[in-house]
Amino acid sequence: PGEAIGIVGQNGAGKSTLLKIITGTLKPTKGHVQITGRIAAILELGMGFNPELTGRQNVRQAAGLMGFSSQEIDNVMVDIETFAEIGEYFDEAVRTYSSGMQMRVAFAVATGWRPEILIVDEALSVGDAYFQHKSFARIREFREQGTTLLIVSHDRNAIQSLCDRTILLEKGAVIKDGAPEEVFDFYNALIAEK
């Protein structure tokens, strides 16, 4: 609880696949995953939002699929809308949103309730610096309360800022597990060799 783990590697290394296995959207070909607690995950931009529905309607749908009741959703809707900071667009069709606006709403709904495990797959990379800072502050607050973070990112600064340790994957296997700076130095050396 409270640990933050960065997962890095080149495209095709298995980072997103690992997160999908952990969240249960993919079955592993061997081995198993044991989860203790509720997972909130942003595995794709927009969390599968329906482009024809408004942001508000998509929040209701996404939160409902996460297992929250209508009353629980009503209790945090203002907080989600306030955190996303997209103004009147919250009541416009998602198809009119920029990728950054979609990410704001997706992150706000995924973190509308503190999960035991928060999984983020590159989603914050589309946000502006202000919203990234705001999101990192929420992640740090959740970590202080015991939330575990798994984050996939190519952003060295994000990983070093948020994570206690980092895992480097290549061809679906762990090739390095250690301090973020140490793993990134090793990763950069591997890239330089290629």
Side-chain angles (χ1 to χ4, degrees):
E3 185 176 17
I5 302 170
I7 302 169
V8 299
Q10 293 186 11
N11 292 338
K15 303 177 302 292
S16 296
T17 300
L18 174 63
L19 297 185
K20 289 176 183 175
I21 289 170
I22 292 168
T23 59
T25 58
L26 276 179
K27 297 281 185 215
T29 51
K30 57 184 169 180
H32 69 280
V33 175
Q34 183 176 340
I35 303 296
T36 304
R38 187 179 67 79
I39 294 176
I42 306 173
L43 296 182
E44 59 184 65
L45 184 60
M47 291 179 62
F49 286 167
N50 181 330
E52 298 306 316
L53 299 179
T54 68
R56 186 179 311 278
Q57 291 167 327
N58 273 292
V59 166
R60 287 195 174 288
Q61 185 174 43
L65 290 171
M66 291 164 62
F68 294 102
S69 70
S70 293
Q71 184 61 53
E72 289 171 313
I73 297 166
D74 289 343
N75 290 344
V76 298
M77 185 63 79
V78 171
D79 295 334
I80 291 170
E81 182 177 2
T82 300
F83 191 87
E85 289 188 67
I86 62 167
E88 70 265 4
Y89 281 100
F90 198 64
D91 290 305
E92 298 292 330
V94 167
R95 67 179 152 67
T96 66
Y97 290 14
S98 67
S99 58
M101 291 166 69
Q102 288 182 52
M103 188 276 302
R104 282 172 172 249
V105 175
F107 186 85
V109 71
T111 62
W113 299 265
R114 186 186 72 79
E116 283 79 27
I117 303 164
L118 177 61
I119 297 177
V120 181
D121 188 0
E122 285 288 358
L124 297 175
S125 63
V126 298
D128 57 58
Y130 164 75
F131 196 77
Q132 281 183 355
H133 177 75
K134 184 177 179 177
S135 299
F136 289 179
R138 177 167 276 187
I139 289 169
R140 286 186 189 97
E141 176 187 324
F142 282 176
R143 284 191 57 210
E144 289 171 8
Q145 298 171 17
T147 294
T148 300
L149 171 68
L150 294 175
I151 182 169
V152 165
S153 181
H154 291 283
D155 182 348
R156 180 182 187 130
N157 292 332
I159 296 287
Q160 288 183 315
S161 166
L162 291 171
C163 298
D164 305 307
R165 70 186 243 242
T166 301
I167 296 170
L168 173 59
L169 294 180
E170 188 171 299
K171 297 179 183 170
V174 175
I175 60 170
K176 186 92 172 146
D177 181 348
E181 188 172 333
E182 173 190 332
V183 172
F184 260 102
D185 288 346
F186 184 80
Y187 178 39
N188 287 336
L190 285 178
I191 292 170
E193 281 181 20
K194 291 184 178 182

